Every structure is written in C-alpha cells, then in structure tokens.
Amino acid sequence: MTLRPILIHPDPRLKAKADPVAEFDRDLAALADDMLETMYDAPGIGLAAPQLGILKRVLVMDCVKEENATPEPMVLINPTVIEASEDLSVYEEGCLSIPEQYAEVERPAVVKVEWTDLAGKQVQQEFDGLWATCVQHEIDHLNGKLFIDYLKPLKRQMITRKMQKLKRELARGAKNGRS
Ligand code: K1U
Ligand code: ZN
C-alpha cells in the first residue's frame, strides 16, 4: 500500500468528469487500497480517485468517527444515485482538496446508491446521516464538482484565493527543501 499525494484546489483534474471503470483487476484493487490508506492517513471520511489525479469513477469512504469503533471501509466503483429523498439535510462539509475550509451544504437527507464492488458485483444500498452527505460529496468529485460550487460566488472566490496562496507557499517550501 502506498500513500499518495492529494491534489489541492484549484487543479483542472478536480474539475474533470471521471471515466467509468471497465476492468476489475489487481491494479484496481491496489488503487482502492492506496485510496483507503491515504484517506485514513489524512485523516478523512471519504476520498475520490480524481483527488489523487486519477480520472476513474472510484471512491472510498468510512464515516465511523468514534475512536475504538470498528472501521467500516467501503469501496464504490461506478456509483450512481438512483433515488434521493425530498427531505434535505445541512452539514458543514470539508474537503481534503480544500484544507481547513468548511461551509454548510444542503443535500438530500437519504439516498439510494448503486455501484459495482471490487469483485465486479452490482450492489445497492440506502445511506442516511453523514454517510449520505459523504457519498454525495464523493460522487460530486467524480463529476468534477466541489462543495464550494454550492456556495455564493464571492465566498467561493475567497476560498479559491486562499487555496492559491496555500499552493504558492507549499511550492516555495518544497523548493527550499521543507516537506
Ligand atoms: O472528499 C473529501 O475531500 C473528503 C472529505 C469528505 C467529507 C467531509 C465532510 C462532509 C462530506 C464529505 C473529508 O473527509 S474532510 C475531513 C473530515 O471531514 C473528517 C476528518 C477526520 C475526522 C472526521 C471528519
Ligand atoms: Zn472533497
């Protein structure tokens, strides 16, 4: 397993629509392992392949947040929302590609999602609570959409400028030999 670097917004790869997965092979299983390791290390509760610069429709998540609770890692390939509740819920979202920025986003409170698992089997499951928020946030990543796209333009611009500054500082640090 390998920790992979997470792209920081703005990056054109975070705005692109990812391609469906066609081959369920060892490389796909290795990518899913790397994604889970990278997500747990960040730490985060979800991660989509485009955040690693890989434009494939793969996401991982584990919304069990309590310490000492049994982890529930999930790998979803080619996921689609097939039903969404009219009921909405608001959650203060964050994103590993937009570090330390949080904003309230309103989404369907309950969604039914269909996807293919690593063995190539079709699966359907209903999600609610944080799991529903997270799976929608991650599917958005597969469609090149970020949580800041739900915000008013001024707030989105402000966050984007902060991220541009952060990226300049990180690049300067890397050039001067800092990690
Ligand atoms: O996709 C991502 O960037 C991951 C993101 C997922 C997400 C968070 C909140 C609402 C919807 C989707 C994160 O994991 S941000 C980090 C985070 O929320 C967290 C980190 C450690 C413990 C608990 C939460
Ligand atoms: Zn995100």
Side-chain angles (χ1 to χ4, degrees), residues 135-169:
V135 75
Q136 291 175 81
H137 175 116
E138 301 309 332
I139 291 174
D140 274 355
H141 273 302
L142 305 181
N143 294 322
K145 189 162 182 166
L146 301 173
F147 83 90
I148 56 170
D149 294 325
Y150 293 94
L151 308 181
K152 296 206 174 94
L154 209 62
K155 171 99 174 145
R156 185 165 62 241
Q157 262 171 33
M158 204 183 73
I159 292 177
T160 298
R161 292 211 179 103
K162 278 190 191 162
M163 291 302 104
Q164 285 167 328
K165 183 163 176 271
L166 172 69
K167 286 177 80 168
R168 280 198 299 276
E169 286 163 1

Side-chain angles (χ1 to χ4, degrees), residues 98 113 122 153:
I98 311 177
V113 179
Q122 286 292 109

